[in-house]
Each structure stands twice: as C-alpha cells, then as structure tokens.
Amino acid sequence: MSFPISMAMTLFAVHATAATALYVSVDAGPQADGSLANPYASLPDAVDALRALRQAGNVEPATIYLREGRHPLKQTLVLGMKDGRPSTSEVVAHEQYGAGAMTEPAYLTIAAYPGETPVLSAGVPVAGWTRLETAPDGLPANAAGNVWVADMPEGLERFYTLYDDQGRLSRARDSGFAPTKTGDKRTLHFPSGSLKNWDNLQDVEIQVRPYRPWVINMLPLATVDEATGVAKTAVSATYEMGELPAWVHNPTGSTVWIENVLEALDEPGEWVVNTSTRKVYLWPSDPAADGSPRGILAPSTSELIRVEGVIDYDGAQDTPVVGIAFTGLTFTHADRWAWTTDDSRLGWGLQHDWEMFDRPTAMLRFRGAEACRVTQCRFIDSGGTGLRLDLHAQRNRIEGCEFANLGEAGILLAGYGPGTKDVNHHNEIFNNHIHHFSQITWHSPGIWAWQSGHNHIAHNDIHHSGYTAVMITNRVEPDRPLTGQGGQTIRQDEIPESVKSSVAETYEDWKVREQYNHARHNLLEYNAITHSVQLLSDGNAIYVSGAGTGNIVRYNYIHDNLEHSLPAAIRCDDDQHETLIFGNVIYHNYGFSAAIASKGVNDIINNFIVAPLTAPKRGYISFEWVRVTGSEVRHNIVMSHAEGGKVYGESPIARTEDGDPKVEDTEMDSNLYFHPTDTKWVEAHLLRMQAVGKETHSVFADPLFVDPAAGDFSFQPGSPARLLGIEPLNVSQMGRIRP
C-alpha cells in the first residue's frame, strides 16, 4: 500500500506535533486514517503509512498500536533501513557483557494497545469441511466416521503444521520402527510393510535418529522400493541411518517414524495433507456441536516479521537497522522451515545440524540489527523457532518474553562462520520463560549462542526440552570440508593456512584458532533449568563446546533433570578451554556420566552437587580426553549418591598417553566431600592428591545445608563449608525475577 505525497503531508500535519502514534484494528472500517477512531486494518498498512510520513519529513519516534484480535500476516513483513534510526552507535568495549543500558528510545515501536493482547498470526483459515463418508485406502478402522476433509487454502502450496484454537495439532505419525541394517545418509533399509510407495510420496516425511544419539532429522522421501525394503530420501541425514549405539537409552527401540500418511491417522487431533489432491484430512479434537472442525488454521509462512539491515556477506562491514522495538505482542501459527534439497543443506547446518545457518526458521528474525528490543511478547504454538538474531546483531535485548510449545528452538544468536567478521555480540537475553520447545525437531535448544559473544543470558526459566537447554558453541574446525556440518559457513579466505592445519584438540592448538571462534566472553548466570533432554540422549542442561575464551557459567540452578539420557548437567565438550564454571547448584539430577564434565582447561569453583539420582559412571566431576593442566578445582561441595562412585573421573580417549587427563595436573583444594554412610569414600582420592601437595585443605564432612529439598542451600551454624571459604548459594535469586 502506498500513499501520495499530498496524503502523507496531511498525515504529517496531524501527527507531527508529538511522537507519532498509529493504530491497527481487525475491525477497521473503510475510512481508515490510522487514528484511534479510524484505525488501519492491517499492520502492513500502518507501516506503509508511517513510511509515507517519514518521507514527508516526520522524524519523531513512532508507535504502531495493535488492538485486540488476530492480525494475520500472510507473508513476511520486512522492516528495513527506512523504518529504523540510522546507526550512530559507537563500538562497545569487548569487556562489557550484554546490551548495556540502551538508553536511546526506540525509533519504531510495534506494541499492544494498553490492556489488550493482539496476536500476530501466520494462519490462514481452512474452511469447507465435510465428513469423510467413504474411508480411503489405509485409513485405520477406528478413524472411520471421525475424519473430515477440506481443500487446502488457496495460495498455499505446502505446509508442515496445522492449528486449532487449542494450539498446534499433531501430524499423523506411526509408532516407529528400527532399520534392518545400516545404510548411508540417504539410504534407509526398512522392515517389510513399514513403508509404501504412496501416490503422494512427495508429502511423506520420515523422522529419523541417524546413528548418533544427539540429533534427529526430518527428511522427505524420494523413492520407496517395497520389494527390496530400501528407501531413498531427498535430503541427506546428518549421519548414516542405522541402529543407535548400544549404550544409548532408547526404551522403545524405534529410531524411524513416518509422518503425514493416512495409515497413521488414528487419534483425535491428527491430520494429513495431500498436495497432489490439495486435500486436508483431520480428526478434530475440539469439534463444533455437529462434530466438524472449527478454528483450523494453516500457516502461510515460517517467518512473520524480519528486521533487516544491509548485509554485505562477503565484506567486512554490514549496515544495521537501529532502534525497532516490539512489546506486548503474541507471535504464533508459523510453519516449520524444512530441509528440502541437499543443495540448500550440506554444509549450512549449524553444529550437528541442530539449526540452519541464516534461514527464515523463526517467527521474529533480526538480520543486521542494533539496539532493538523485544519485551513482554509471547512466541507460542509454532512449527519452528521463536526468535533469531542473525549475522550482524548487537546491543539487542530480549526481555520478559514467553517461548512455549515451539517445534524447534526458543532463541538463536548466530553470527558469521569462523573468520575475522565478528559482528554478533553484546546482546541481552533476560528474564524470559522458555519451555516446551523442540517438540518437532527434538535437538533444538532453548537458547543457543553460535559464533556469538559478549552476550548476557540471565534470569531465564528454561524447562521441558527434547535435548539441551542452553548452548554456547562453535565447533567448526577450519579444516572441515565444505559439505561437513557448518563447512559452508567457514570464511576460508580470512583464515591463514597455518591455522587450518592446527586441528588437534589440545590447549595449544585451540589457542591458535580461538581468535576465529566468536562465541567468547558470554555470561550465563542466574538461570533455572529443569526437565531437559527428555527425548534424545547425550545432552546437557548447559553445553559449551568449541567456543572461544572467557565464557562464564555461574549461579545457575540446575535441578530435577530426571531423564536417563542426561550425561552431565554442565558440560565443556570438545575443544573447549578457559571457561569458568562457578557457583552453580546441581540438585536432584540423573547425570549418568557426571554432574560436571570438562574436556579441556576449564575452572570449576564453588559449585554444589547435591542429591544425585545415580552414582555417575565416570565421576561427579569428569575430566575427559585431553590434558587439564592448570584447571582450578576449588571450594566445591560434592555430596555422593548412596552407591558412591568416583569423585573425579579421568577418561583417557586421547591420542597419546601424554595427552590423557590427570587430576594431579589440576589446581585442586578446599573442596568439601560427603557420603551419607561411607566415611572413607574419598580417602583414597585425598591421599593421592595430598601426595603431590594438593587437596591439603579439603575435608570429608556434612556441609549442613539448611533444607535442600525446599531449595534452601544456606549453611547451618557450624558448617565446615564456612571454614573452607565456600560461598553460600541462594537459588531463590536464580531464574526469573517475578514482580
């Protein structure tokens, strides 16, 4: 929608006397002028009107208020340079965490009208439902008479999710099976009868756990040979498709599931779409009085709004949009952005293909943005990710938002790949509630900083995830092939050949390449994390891997992570050094390998490991694969499970004996250990360490917590922890700050 200059001048005369306010209502009439009495009918109309005002000379900050109701966006609304303030920000000192004060007012705010809850929705109504009188081939007997059919909405070619008034509906899915033998990344060997050469094979996807326990793929089928039991996928899996390793916790035994076939439509709330016939089939879970579906919406886009500056991908500098804010809005009903071809996939998946590099997978996306804010918004009931901060992203603040019932991740911060272009940093993720995410793509994290540094991630509640809750990573070695995970993201021309050859996972080699890994100096503090790693295996509450220096993980409350698939609550994995793990309370977790795992030179100080649900197979604190010389391990409290287990683990998977981790190489002292019945539990460890002049002040004693079961980890009078200089920890200060 465009406005002539004469109309723009009229609008300017009305609004120029004060900060500009425009209004949008789903009940707007034909005489719209953007006023409260005559609001615009859509957000794009209001944005176009404001652009006309800017063109006419209005440079005042502006707010677009959305009134109550569902505001549909059938395609992505792009806010660009003409919508934000020109960038005038100075370079922020790299010692500062987070977004800083950000005192400048937003130049454009899109906000809920006071007291109202507007919804931005990608949903398009699916209408014209009729009961399916004759059951098609393959429909389960119990579904007969319960399934309704409608035409796909006009203009939509394909969609992967569907919604009703209660939220996202479940696409029809079978009970699963295991491959008969290992194939390759595009070859699946299946049991007889498990797959068919369906007429609409292009609509059928398989969800597969491809050999490794930390990843799941949703792959479109290309061919099915029922006679030989061999299927080919249109897109490669991350790894070969075969059985999981024997140690992986997988009680059902299934690793492959079929989605979007009528044979699996056997429960209320399930649906199938056939793009060949353009029909949608649904067994409604919340029907109208006559049994028909009601309020059904199909998504028109995976990305509702994109705030986008001028990106010079191959150059050294981008031009960001500055000063756009969103407050009080609900974002919902967006689709999952699917892998469709290997051309778009290979090498562009972020670590283990846990997300896509620079793709429209989120409802709200900032791509080249500074000093933008998102406050008191909700990101709910969607097929993909909630919010992304891509490529150039600085001094942006995400605060007081809810991310819930998402198919993929909560919040992703993803800079450029390894190289010298370091422009994703100093953002703040503060006081958000992130829960029940990764419901479709199980490996998706709650918060992920990939190639992003100097961020402040604090006071968030994160719970009920399929895999890891928070990740700070890079894990793209400079010698990785282009088709390897993240290989295409590497800025090869910016990295010297001498660095590319430094690929050993040693502290010395890491220092050579660390300057090209931008996930450094992140401050992750005062978060509460529970019920993580519920669907996959080998995940963690907090995971730091292949990142840069100076990351701090402190004052987090990690509790009641109950699944058998959690190897450690906090883990510094491959190629990770110079991380501080301080003041975290790790309470009532499973942790089959460890409570804290460190694969590098990292400091572990003043952490409380209390009431573990199992004796870890490696150690309550586990040192793994590489030398840990100089790691500080002090002032920790370790309370053993009744079955004991080692206090410290040393896992020698290194290439040479000289590279094995040894606890004697750490700087270890002033720790407090306790076992409920075995007073000699740590005697051998203390004798070993004291023989080399370490652990001279550490003791075995009850720390005398006040009431851990009630969340009170303060010390009773006479606690030996005070004499050791151990700082008491207050979990009531961890997690969201509530009014």
Side-chain angles (χ1 to χ4, degrees):
M1 186 175 183
S2 61
F3 293 84
I5 294 296
S6 59
M7 182 178 179
M9 292 302 294
T10 302
L11 290 169
F12 179 63
V14 172
H15 296 292
T17 56
T20 302
L22 299 176
Y23 299 87
V24 178
S25 173
V26 296
D27 300 319
Q31 305 299 318
D33 61 8
S35 65
L36 184 58
N38 296 298
Y40 292 116
S42 73
L43 177 57
D45 286 350
V47 169
D48 282 344
L50 181 58
R51 288 170 178 169
L53 287 173
R54 299 298 195 208
Q55 187 178 359
N58 185 333
V59 295
E60 297 298 322
T63 300
I64 298 174
Y65 290 102
L66 302 187
R67 302 300 306 269
E68 188 77 26
R70 189 179 76 87
H71 296 256
L73 286 174
K74 293 185 179 180
Q75 60 186 21
T76 303
L77 173 63
V78 180
L79 302 175
M81 298 301 297
K82 56 189 173 183
D83 302 301
R85 180 187 295 109
S87 178
T88 58
S89 60
E90 298 179 357
V91 176
V92 182
H94 271 215
E95 286 71 31
Q96 178 187 355
Y97 293 102
M102 289 202 317
T103 56
E104 67 271 31
Y107 193 59
L108 168 61
T109 300
I110 300 176
Y113 186 80
E116 297 184 356
T117 54
V119 174
L120 287 168
S121 166
V124 176
V126 183
W129 293 96
T130 59
R131 192 186 298 273
L132 194 62
E133 298 297 342
T134 302
D137 291 342
L139 188 71
N142 69 325
N146 294 310
V147 175
W148 294 65
V149 63
D151 291 332
M152 292 175 61
E154 186 177 351
L156 298 189
E157 297 301 321
R158 186 179 301 276
F159 47 83
Y160 300 93
T161 53
L162 197 70
Y163 303 89
D164 67 4
D165 292 339
Q166 307 302 311
R168 189 180 64 252
L169 296 166
S170 298
R171 192 167 63 166
R173 172 188 178 96
D174 79 341
S175 58
F177 61 88
T180 56
K181 64 179 180 179
T182 299
D184 57 32
K185 293 182 180 181
R186 293 186 63 173
T187 303
L188 173 69
H189 297 273
F190 61 89
S192 177
S194 297
L195 292 176
K196 295 181 180 180
N197 189 22
W198 289 279
D199 291 340
N200 63 323
L201 193 64
Q202 73 279 3
D203 296 324
V204 181
E205 290 185 308
I206 59 168
Q207 191 176 42
V208 56
R209 298 184 67 179
Y211 180 63
R212 298 295 187 181
W214 51 73
V215 66
I216 196 163
N217 299 140
M218 189 76 80
L219 306 175
L221 285 174
T223 63
V224 173
D225 189 327
E226 297 181 50
T228 62
V230 176
K232 294 286 187 178
T233 59
V235 179
S236 296
T238 306
Y239 305 102
E240 291 76 15
M241 290 183 278
E243 292 185 2
L244 291 171
W247 59 267
V248 175
H249 183 69
N250 184 29
T252 69
S254 296
T255 58
V256 183
W257 298 264
I258 309 164
E259 294 204 6
N260 199 43
V261 294
L262 285 172
E263 286 86 341
L265 207 170
D266 57 4
E267 292 183 2
E270 291 187 336
W271 64 278
V272 168
V273 64
N274 185 321
T275 61
S276 297
T277 61
R278 295 194 58 79
K279 297 295 183 182
V280 185
Y281 302 88
L282 172 66
W283 183 345
S285 57
D286 183 33
D290 64 353
S292 64
R294 57 179 179 176
I296 305 301
L297 299 172
S300 58
T301 181
S302 61
E303 181 185 64
L304 285 162
I305 296 178
R306 181 168 74 249
V307 178
E308 186 168 39
V310 179
I311 297 296
D312 182 1
Y313 186 87
D314 295 321
Q317 186 172 344
D318 304 317
T319 305
V321 177
V322 178
I324 294 181
F326 302 87
T327 184
L329 308 175
T330 294
F331 295 77
T332 190
H333 303 147
D335 210 355
R336 169 175 61 88
W337 181 268
W339 299 108
T340 54
T341 67
D342 270 354
D343 290 342
S344 64
R345 176 194 176 281
L346 290 180
W348 293 108
L350 306 187
Q351 183 175 344
H352 301 309
D353 294 334
W354 286 332
E355 246 288 5
M356 301 184 192
F357 177 76
D358 192 25
R359 295 292 186 272
T361 67
M363 288 189 280
L364 178 58
R365 185 181 180 208
F366 296 87
R367 186 177 187 265
E370 288 190 14
C372 293
R373 300 182 182 88
V374 183
T375 56
Q376 304 302 319
C377 289
R378 301 181 73 212
F379 299 81
I380 61 172
D381 299 321
S382 187
T385 292
L387 184 148
R388 290 182 68 131
L389 296 168
D390 275 326
L391 303 180
H392 185 119
Q394 298 173 27
R395 299 184 303 118
N396 303 295
R397 184 177 177 93
I398 316 301
E399 179 180 2
C401 297
E402 181 183 15
F403 297 80
N405 299 315
L406 300 175
E408 297 184 329
I411 301 171
L412 173 67
L413 303 91
Y416 286 91
T420 59
K421 193 169 185 179
D422 181 8
V423 292
N424 194 302
H425 51 73
H426 291 91
N427 301 290
E428 188 141 21
I429 312 299
F430 184 80
N431 212 47
N432 301 286
H433 187 194
I434 305 171
H435 62 100
H436 296 92
F437 50 93
S438 59
Q439 292 182 328
I440 296 175
T441 308
W442 298 349
H443 54 228
S444 303
I447 301 172
W448 187 7
W450 182 89
Q451 281 288 92
S452 180
H454 297 269
N455 301 298
H456 187 208
I457 303 171
H459 287 290
N460 302 287
D461 280 345
I462 308 168
H463 58 91
H464 289 91
S465 64
Y467 190 58
T468 297
V470 181
M471 300 196 300
I472 300 171
T473 77
N474 171 43
R475 280 292 296 280
V476 184
E477 297 81 6
D479 70 331
R480 180 162 292 185
L482 291 178
T483 57
Q485 301 162 31
Q488 295 279 8
T489 71
I490 301 172
R491 301 171 70 83
Q492 297 284 352
D493 294 343
E494 298 173 3
I495 304 176
E497 291 300 322
S498 60
V499 174
K500 295 178 185 179
S501 63
S502 300
V503 296
E505 291 180 3
T506 65
Y507 188 29
E508 293 72 23
D509 280 300
W510 171 84
K511 282 187 172 182
V512 172
R513 59 183 176 270
E514 186 275 335
Q515 62 184 303
Y516 304 102
N517 296 342
H518 307 313
R520 63 170 69 91
H521 294 293
N522 290 288
L523 178 56
L524 178 65
E525 63 175 354
Y526 293 104
N527 301 284
I529 300 172
T530 184
H531 292 86
S532 60
V533 198
Q534 294 197 307
L535 297 173
L536 291 179
S537 302
D538 201 26
N540 313 93
I542 296 172
Y543 180 77
V544 187
S545 178
T549 186
N551 290 297
I552 298 176
V553 178
R554 71 180 185 189
Y555 301 129
N556 299 286
Y557 185 27
I558 304 171
H559 66 98
D560 294 293
N561 294 279
L562 309 177
E563 296 300 320
H564 291 241
S565 49
L566 181 86
I570 301 174
R571 186 178 186 185
C572 288
D573 202 7
D574 298 342
D575 209 29
Q576 186 56 48
H577 304 275
E578 296 182 1
T579 305
L580 173 61
I581 302 171
F582 183 96
N584 301 282
V585 176
I586 301 172
Y587 174 75
H588 203 242
N589 299 291
Y590 187 76
F592 72 82
S593 288
I596 299 173
S598 177
K599 203 179 288 184
V601 180
N602 304 291
D603 295 336
I604 302 169
I605 302 172
N606 212 110
N607 302 281
F608 296 175
I609 300 170
V610 182
L613 295 176
T614 186
K617 68 177 184 179
R618 291 184 178 172
Y620 292 90
I621 297 175
S622 176
F623 301 107
E624 302 172 355
W625 288 26
V626 296
R627 295 293 294 268
V628 292
T629 305
S631 293
E632 298 274 348
V633 186
R634 302 180 185 275
H635 298 112
N636 300 289
I637 297 177
V638 181
M639 298 186 71
S640 170
H641 185 268
E643 295 178 2
K646 293 190 293 185
V647 185
Y648 296 98
E650 301 161 296
S651 299
I653 315 178
R655 281 63 178 166
T656 65
E657 183 179 349
D658 184 59
D660 291 348
K662 297 181 175 64
V663 292
E664 289 93 342
D665 293 336
T666 68
E667 300 302 319
M668 186 179 292
D669 202 2
S670 300
N671 298 294
L672 178 57
Y673 306 104
F674 184 67
H675 188 288
T677 58
D678 184 0
T679 59
K680 297 184 180 298
W681 173 55
V682 292
E683 185 176 273
H685 163 76
L686 291 177
L687 288 173
R688 172 186 174 185
M689 295 300 289
Q690 289 167 2
V692 294
K694 299 178 180 181
E695 290 272 55
T696 57
H697 299 92
S698 298
V699 298
F700 176 94
D702 188 337
L704 298 177
F705 289 121
V706 170
D707 190 356
D712 189 346
F713 293 87
S714 60
F715 301 135
Q716 299 178 37
S719 168
R722 295 183 181 276
L723 297 176
L724 290 170
I726 296 174
E727 175 187 327
L729 301 174
N730 184 354
V731 298
S732 69
Q733 297 177 352
M734 303 174 191
R736 280 181 298 158
I737 302 171
R738 294 171 173 81

